[in-house]
Amino acid sequence: MNIECLVLGQLGVNCYLLTENNKAIVIDPGDEVEKILSALEDKGCSLEKILLTHGHFDHTGAVCDLAKKTGAEVFIHSGDEVMLRDNSKNLSFLTGEEVKTYEEATPLETVEKLTFGNMEIKYFHTPGHSEGSVTYQVEDNLFCGDLIFRGSIGRYDFGDLRTELNSINFLLENFGDSVKLFPGHGMKTTIGFERMNNPYIGMI
């Protein structure tokens, strides 16, 4: 499996493109749908799934166009599903620009099993940054959205700090130091690096 990161939009969101055997999934298509489509075309891949770590506009801005142009199914936790339909909830109002809404997402809780090729995609409800924030596991890779960054954590003023720290602690307790973390912004990291270097870990 290949993992490519596209940095998109005014807030520089990390959009992850996972490809294998001419199939692809996209995690957090925040903006610039043509760049995502171009990357898919360059790799000769068809898009199977769109996975959202949470519903904030900078992670979902290209969902509507990408889903319509590829036919890919969109998955999000029910706690954030309303953000795809309501710009007053997804924080796009803070920018003065609205994003295209989307009505047809599949709540993750209704899905018995997510797969990509021969691999199972697991998800863990990791709230705090938002009510419906999730972390996806694909092999030894965790796609954690805005839960935790390299040396920092995501904003919690729209969520809850204690809840966010508990979600981070869940990852630390359940995954080994070599497991990779792919955050919604900034550089990738590992469980071990954050365990040793993240100043917020001591607050848990």
Side-chain angles (χ1 to χ4, degrees):
M1 180 185 69
N2 181 67
I3 303 172
E4 180 179 353
C5 178
L6 305 174
V7 181
L8 305 175
Q10 59 180 311
L11 297 184
V13 71
N14 291 337
C15 170
Y16 295 103
L17 177 62
L18 282 58
T19 58
E20 185 171 64
N21 297 328
N22 302 117
K23 302 293 184 182
I25 59 177
V26 164
I27 300 175
D28 288 356
D31 202 351
E32 300 180 87
V33 67
E34 294 303 328
K35 284 189 178 181
I36 302 171
L37 291 170
S38 178
L40 289 167
E41 183 178 358
D42 288 346
K43 294 178 180 297
C45 290
S46 60
L47 184 61
E48 291 189 337
K49 297 178 177 69
I50 299 169
L51 307 180
L52 303 176
T53 61
H54 62 292
H56 290 156
F57 78 98
D58 55 323
H59 292 252
T60 65
V63 164
C64 183
D65 287 339
L66 188 61
K68 288 182 177 179
K69 292 183 178 183
T70 63
E73 189 171 5
V74 178
F75 297 87
I76 190 170
H77 191 276
S78 62
D80 279 11
E81 186 182 5
V82 66
M83 296 186 192
L84 294 178
R85 305 190 303 268
D86 187 344
N87 280 318
S88 70
K89 303 289 187 182
N90 63 31
L91 306 183
S92 62
F93 70 91
L94 295 175
T95 70
E97 297 183 8
E98 294 187 342
V99 299
K100 291 183 181 179
T101 57
Y102 188 73
E103 302 282 346
E104 302 171 17
T106 300
L108 284 164
E109 302 93 313
T110 67
V111 180
E112 183 175 345
K113 189 176 184 179
L114 282 173
T115 59
F116 179 48
N118 296 322
M119 295 174 287
E120 182 178 2
I121 304 170
K122 297 181 179 179
Y123 82 88
F124 306 94
H125 186 207
T126 48
H129 178 68
S130 70
E131 180 182 345
S133 288
V134 300
T135 296
Y136 294 100
Q137 180 189 7
V138 185
E139 296 183 322
D140 62 347
N141 308 294
L142 296 176
F143 299 88
C144 54
D146 289 357
L147 174 66
I148 185 171
F149 303 135
R150 184 179 175 90
S152 187
I153 65 173
R155 289 181 63 169
Y156 49 84
D157 49 329
F158 298 112
D160 178 74
L161 175 58
R162 175 52 54 185
T163 302
E164 187 164 341
L165 293 175
N166 286 339
S167 292
I168 293 169
N169 194 46
F170 168 82
L171 298 184
L172 296 177
E173 290 178 346
N174 287 277
F175 294 97
D177 286 351
S178 64
V179 171
K180 303 177 190 71
L181 289 166
F182 292 83
H185 302 269
M187 298 171 60
K188 69 180 180 181
T189 184
T190 65
I191 290 285
F193 182 89
E194 299 313 311
R195 196 190 308 276
M196 295 297 296
N197 298 283
N198 195 311
Y200 288 90
I201 300 304
M203 298 174 60
I204 299 173

